Amino acid sequence: MTEAPDKGREDAEPPGPAVAMTAPQVDAWFVREILPLEAALMHFLLRSRRSSSEADDLRQEVYVRVYEAARQKIPHPAKPFLFAVARNLLVDRVRHEQVVAIETVADVDTLAVAIDEPGPDRSVIARQELRRLEAAIARLPRRCRQVVVLSRIEGLSRREIAARLGIGEATVSTHLTEGMYQLAKLLYGEPHTQGGKP
Amino acid sequence: MSPAGERMVLPSAKEIDLRAAEWLERRHREDWNEADQTALDAWCAEASAHRIAYIRVEAAWTRAHRLGALRRPQNRGGVLGAASRLPLLAKIAAAVAVLSAAGAGSAIYFKAPPQKVYATAIGERKTLALSDGSKVEMNTDTVLRVVADGSGRTVWLEKGEAYFQVRHDSAHPFTVMAGGHRVTDLGTKFLVRTDAQKLQVSLVEGSIRFDAPDGRMREPLLLSPGDSVTAKENTIVVTRNSERELAKDLGWRRGVLVFDNTTLADAAAEFNRYNREKIVIADPAVAQLRIDGTFPNENLAVFARAAQQLFELHIVERNGKTVISK
């Protein structure tokens, strides 16, 4: 009965990728699509470079390239794009550093195979997330862990934490900063040891 | 082994990541102010590496917050060690006691704040422009109550679905109540859908806080964009949505339904939300067929024809119903 002669709507377009993205949209996309791939990316980078601080620097450069590309246009799908950028970066590096062993060059090519291992499951059931978070927090240094737990879980302020632990507020800040830094590394950069595979 | 000079343009990733963590730590202090925010914005604008490092550490910290929110009281201990805090139930009991004591005396004098009720019919879509500049788009078959008093802005989603674009005002928080759950805006665009079985809240932009009605969550859940909370009777699940999934859920704002490997049963249920004339799938095997595509949500005929051609099905119109069978 509400059937109206609806001309020209049959060919409604499927929702394509958005064209102009605002900075918050790119940020959100980055957090949602790229950060969950960090563990795989680090694995990829570590296999070819060995030193972990060097891999961190490479990771940062890959992120900058991916992020800046996304400002122009969000790449779909994200994963192959991320690894293409990483691979190109490695190839560039190898070209610049003639001292690098041939083995590394070979690695860059063979690594392409490793990329398509099952990606992280996008829908994270609360319980899995809980386990991962607990594992990450358990790996923080003791004092740092206490401060993080009091702040993030118990919701105490800097002053309250200082009073509770009998330390200065500046020290609380130092531990919190360290905790934030470490948690980002543990939550994104470390392989998901359990329950990762479907 | 040592990097060439040309490559030292950027400080090391570790330095930038630590710097980002320092910003975040300061951001969480009580004395954070406009000037600090300006300085942080400037730092983020300085280099993409800065901005990325900041959103990364912030995202991790937000996730860590969920640990507090998702953790049930009885699961405590373990890595977190003993904590000295009132058992949650005792706290709630105390709070309830205070409330009911106050309620008993003041109920007679309580005057309801002015409220307005808005509704859409089946197939109708309506946009409300609230006086504070916020916008609410109501989907089909939806009922909303809006209360605005001096202390804040509250919308009750009685049934249906609505998309909120909220003008943030920390002095007057914008709250959506649905099925006893509470969604508090912290500057935001979000979608709320409720029916008899479940409540779903999806965040598109900004940040919101989600509270469950009972002691299920020790702390409210802070959502970041792309997060979606589904609350059913006994579970609360947080999922991450891709851009595509979100666009799909918001298709109704353009008057379309988007199906992506969707069973005909689910597709029919979606159409039935928008149309008085209902689709009935007469055969369980047919109900399990899957379909992709974008369809105008008020045009059953287009959908029926597509299904018919795709799967060679029979379509019969009967008593205001479109019956699909083999």
Side-chain angles (χ1 to χ4, degrees):
Chain A
M1 68 207 281
T2 44
E3 198 78 8
D6 218 345
K7 53 185 185 309
R9 282 181 61 184
E10 300 183 31
D11 54 352
E13 286 172 27
V19 183
M21 301 298 282
T22 64
Q25 280 173 310
V26 176
D27 290 352
W29 169 82
F30 194 87
V31 168
R32 193 177 55 240
E33 302 283 334
I34 299 297
L35 288 182
L37 300 172
E38 187 169 310
L41 176 65
M42 289 308 285
H43 180 69
F44 177 89
L45 294 173
L46 280 166
R47 271 189 57 188
S48 69
R49 304 301 293 198
R50 281 154 199 109
S51 131
S52 92
S53 77
E54 220 178 335
D56 281 341
D57 290 344
L58 285 168
R59 190 246 311 148
Q60 173 181 270
E61 210 166 321
V62 170
Y63 276 2
V64 168
R65 290 186 183 191
V66 167
Y67 186 88
E68 284 175 352
R71 293 294 293 264
Q72 309 302 315
K73 186 174 190 293
I74 296 283
H76 272 297
K79 190 172 181 179
F81 182 76
L82 174 73
F83 282 93
V85 168
R87 203 158 41 241
N88 288 342
L89 186 66
L90 285 182
V91 170
D92 282 358
R93 283 296 160 89
V94 170
R95 283 205 193 108
H96 278 95
E97 298 164 11
Q98 278 116 356
V99 284
V100 170
I102 300 217
E103 179 200 349
T104 312
V105 185
D107 258 5
V108 169
D109 290 330
T110 52
L111 277 174
V113 188
I115 296 169
D116 266 325
E117 59 202 29
D121 192 353
R122 285 285 152 63
S123 69
V124 179
I125 304 300
R127 199 178 304 138
Q128 279 181 356
E129 171 82 346
L130 198 64
R131 246 188 266 125
R132 188 168 302 161
L133 286 165
E134 281 184 342
I137 286 181
R139 291 182 55 187
L140 296 174
R142 185 178 142 271
R143 202 47 141 175
C144 178
R145 181 174 69 230
Q146 284 178 324
V147 170
V148 165
V149 166
L150 289 176
S151 160
R152 201 77 287 215
I153 320 278
E154 306 287 325
L156 298 191
S157 72
R158 208 163 69 112
R159 187 172 310 135
E160 289 168 326
I161 297 170
R164 176 85 71 93
L165 298 180
I167 55 179
E169 287 186 37
T171 313
V172 172
S173 291
T174 308
H175 285 306
L176 268 182
T177 303
E178 176 69 12
M180 289 166 170
Y181 169 78
Q182 292 293 348
L183 275 182
K185 268 186 99 135
L186 291 166
L187 286 176
Y188 291 120
E190 299 278 315
H192 313 138
T193 40
Q194 41 188 352
K197 307 258 148 70
Chain B
M1 182 169 155
S2 66
E6 55 173 295
R7 204 150 293 132
M8 295 313 293
V9 201
L10 285 173
S12 77
K14 181 170 182 181
E15 280 171 69
I16 294 180
D17 286 346
L18 276 170
R19 195 88 184 83
E22 280 169 24
W23 276 112
L24 183 66
E25 193 276 324
R26 277 175 54 191
R27 174 92 175 63
H28 277 79
R29 294 190 203 166
E30 289 96 345
D31 59 359
W32 180 260
N33 59 34
E34 293 263 333
D36 294 329
Q37 184 64 47
T38 309
L40 169 58
D41 291 344
W43 185 76
C44 284
E46 230 168 68
S48 295
H50 293 180
R51 189 178 182 96
I52 294 164
Y54 186 77
I55 60 177
R56 175 173 171 271
V57 72
E58 189 185 41
W61 196 236
T62 304
R63 272 175 73 184
H65 189 207
R66 285 204 199 120
L67 181 55
L70 297 173
R71 208 173 169 73
R72 292 181 182 212
Q74 65 267 30
N75 290 349
R76 311 190 70 253
V79 297
L80 304 177
S84 62
R85 116 194 305 264
L86 260 181
L88 182 76
L89 280 176
K91 270 191 174 173
I92 291 178
V96 168
V98 170
L99 278 180
S100 35
S106 58
I108 315 158
Y109 307 105
F110 179 74
K111 199 161 141 247
Q115 62 170 334
K116 279 189 174 158
V117 178
Y118 300 90
T120 51
I122 291 177
E124 192 187 1
R125 217 160 68 222
K126 192 189 272 179
T127 300
L128 308 178
L130 304 183
S131 54
D132 66 343
S134 297
K135 230 169 78 178
V136 184
E137 289 172 56
M138 299 169 68
N139 198 3
T140 177
D141 199 15
T142 295
V143 178
L144 276 179
R145 272 192 298 136
V146 180
V147 179
D149 56 20
S151 63
R153 304 159 289 168
T154 307
V155 172
W156 271 266
L157 179 61
E158 303 288 2
K159 71 167 180 169
E161 181 172 21
Y163 180 67
F164 298 86
Q165 292 171 269
V166 175
R167 242 320 254 289
H168 184 58
D169 173 0
S170 44
H172 302 96
F174 190 101
T175 305
V176 178
M177 303 290 296
H181 295 75
R182 180 203 306 268
V183 179
T184 310
D185 142 75
L186 308 166
T188 275
K189 295 181 181 170
F190 60 100
L191 177 69
V192 184
R193 175 171 172 179
T194 179
D195 59 34
Q197 285 84 40
K198 65 173 192 227
L199 167 70
Q200 192 173 358
V201 180
S202 306
L203 181 58
V204 176
E205 214 178 288
S207 141
I208 50 179
R209 211 176 63 201
F210 180 84
D211 293 286
D214 49 23
R216 278 194 280 177
M217 301 197 303
R218 290 185 54 245
E219 264 187 71
L221 206 48
L222 273 185
L223 303 193
S224 23
D227 280 354
S228 175
V229 181
T230 305
K232 294 187 185 166
E233 202 182 351
N234 292 312
T235 57
I236 294 178
V237 176
V238 185
T239 53
R240 307 284 297 166
N241 292 305
S242 67
E243 206 83 40
R244 244 177 94 207
E245 288 165 320
L246 269 184
K248 208 173 87 177
D249 288 346
L250 291 169
W252 60 268
R253 296 178 59 222
R254 331 182 258 135
V256 295
L257 287 171
V258 184
F259 300 132
D260 177 8
N261 200 24
T262 308
T263 63
L264 284 189
D266 289 343
E270 278 298 309
F271 270 106
N272 291 344
R273 290 176 66 206
Y274 295 88
N275 298 280
R276 286 180 197 287
E277 191 180 332
K278 304 296 180 197
I279 298 180
V280 177
I281 296 186
D283 184 313
V286 172
Q288 290 314 306
L289 294 170
R290 287 173 187 275
I291 193 164
D292 285 356
T294 302
F295 299 91
N297 60 21
E298 287 168 26
N299 199 331
L300 292 187
V302 173
F303 173 73
R305 212 180 315 131
Q308 183 181 32
Q309 285 166 3
L310 209 54
F311 302 114
E312 300 180 344
L313 301 172
H314 288 285
I315 312 285
V316 187
E317 304 266 344
R318 198 190 296 148
N319 309 330
K321 287 181 183 146
T322 300
V323 181
I324 303 181
S325 59
K326 251 193 268 190

